[in-house]
Amino acid sequence: MNFDDFSKRISKIKNLPLPGADSHYKMAPDIRIEELQKLDKASKKARKAAVMSLFYPKAEETTLLLILRKTYKGVHSNQIGFPGGKAEKFDPDLLHTALRETHEEVGVLPEKVEVIKSLTELFIPPSNFEVQPYIGLYKNPSPFIIQEREVAALVEVSLQDFMDDTAIFSQNLTTSYAENIDVPAFKLNGYTVWGATAMMLSEVKELLKQVL
């Protein structure tokens, strides 16, 4: 879809109710859904984080930015994710966190992002983070600048591929919480996108389906 048309239509989601946890659960295995439903998040004293689902024009077509994280000692090593990261004490709020981290990781200036909507928070048990996602538009993009310490590659996904329901499949994986389980996932640009990122993408997709 042409980005100008997309940017006009996406503004309509500002007044839509969030699909919420039900949309997250569509991209989670049963064992994770049961865990999240039973969990007392307050007792976990979760750390806070925020991410940005960033849409921008590439050759005038609407594109979604994801990143491949570097290999490191952690549960999200070498996985596909959104630009973003953990909140710091000096961040006034989580939106500032999302914009700051997006700038640090891919070089997008905060003032260049039009924030459309905050989405449903998602708790990630393996890392004990509660993540606040946002949707934003980057209407006049400059070349991305990768923070090489944390980002291995950019994953630039066309809106058409993201919205294609055939991109959703099930893959047998060994995760941080179970071995050899079938996990719902997106296949985007050849990458298997699962876990928290897939769950948040599911809510983004449900909102977009209502306005595109």
Side-chain angles (χ1 to χ4, degrees):
M1 175 181 284
N2 177 275
F3 183 77
D4 287 341
D5 189 21
F6 174 82
S7 63
K8 292 173 185 175
R9 295 191 188 191
I10 197 175
S11 63
K12 297 177 183 178
I13 74 170
K14 292 179 180 179
N15 298 319
L16 292 178
L18 292 174
D22 286 343
S23 62
H24 293 164
Y25 294 162
K26 290 180 180 180
M27 296 303 295
D30 290 341
I31 187 173
R32 172 51 61 84
I33 295 171
E34 292 171 4
E35 181 183 15
L36 289 172
Q37 289 175 335
K38 294 177 181 177
L39 201 61
D40 177 11
K41 291 189 291 185
S43 68
K44 294 293 184 180
K45 296 182 180 178
R47 297 175 291 174
K48 297 289 186 177
V51 299
M52 184 63 66
S53 177
L54 193 67
F55 290 91
Y56 60 98
K58 185 176 183 181
E60 299 186 3
E61 292 301 309
T62 304
T63 306
L64 168 65
L65 182 66
L66 298 173
I67 59 174
L68 174 64
R69 297 207 170 275
K70 281 281 185 76
T71 300
Y72 66 99
K73 292 182 180 179
V75 295
H76 304 303
S77 171
N78 198 229
Q79 291 183 6
I80 301 296
F82 295 102
K86 68 178 181 179
E88 301 291 353
K89 291 181 179 179
F90 53 77
D91 289 331
D93 53 40
L94 287 172
L95 177 56
H96 184 273
T97 300
L99 292 169
R100 174 183 57 75
E101 284 281 344
T102 299
H103 179 217
E104 290 176 4
E105 292 187 336
V106 296
V108 176
L109 294 171
E111 61 268 25
K112 298 291 187 179
V113 178
E114 178 186 345
V115 180
I116 301 298
K117 194 176 184 69
S118 60
L119 303 177
T120 305
E121 289 184 334
L122 176 64
F123 180 64
I124 306 175
S127 57
N128 195 38
F129 269 106
E130 188 166 54
V131 180
Q132 173 64 68
Y134 296 89
I135 293 179
L137 295 180
Y138 186 29
K139 291 183 176 180
N140 298 294
S142 300
F144 295 111
I145 303 171
I146 290 178
Q147 183 186 44
E148 295 184 359
R149 183 170 56 85
E150 295 187 16
V151 180
L154 300 177
V155 181
E156 299 179 274
V157 181
S158 73
L159 179 67
Q160 180 177 338
D161 288 346
F162 172 51
M163 298 301 293
D164 186 352
D165 287 337
T166 65
I168 296 175
F169 72 115
S170 182
Q171 181 162 319
N172 188 269
L173 295 171
T174 294
T175 72
S176 60
Y177 54 87
E179 292 186 2
N180 298 318
I181 60 170
D182 290 328
V183 176
F186 290 89
K187 182 65 76 173
L188 300 172
N189 291 31
Y191 292 100
T192 298
V193 185
W194 60 283
T197 300
M199 294 167 74
M200 290 183 281
L201 281 172
S202 180
E203 185 171 46
V204 173
K205 185 173 179 177
E206 287 202 22
L207 284 169
L208 293 181
K209 279 184 173 181
Q210 297 180 62
V211 299
L212 299 184

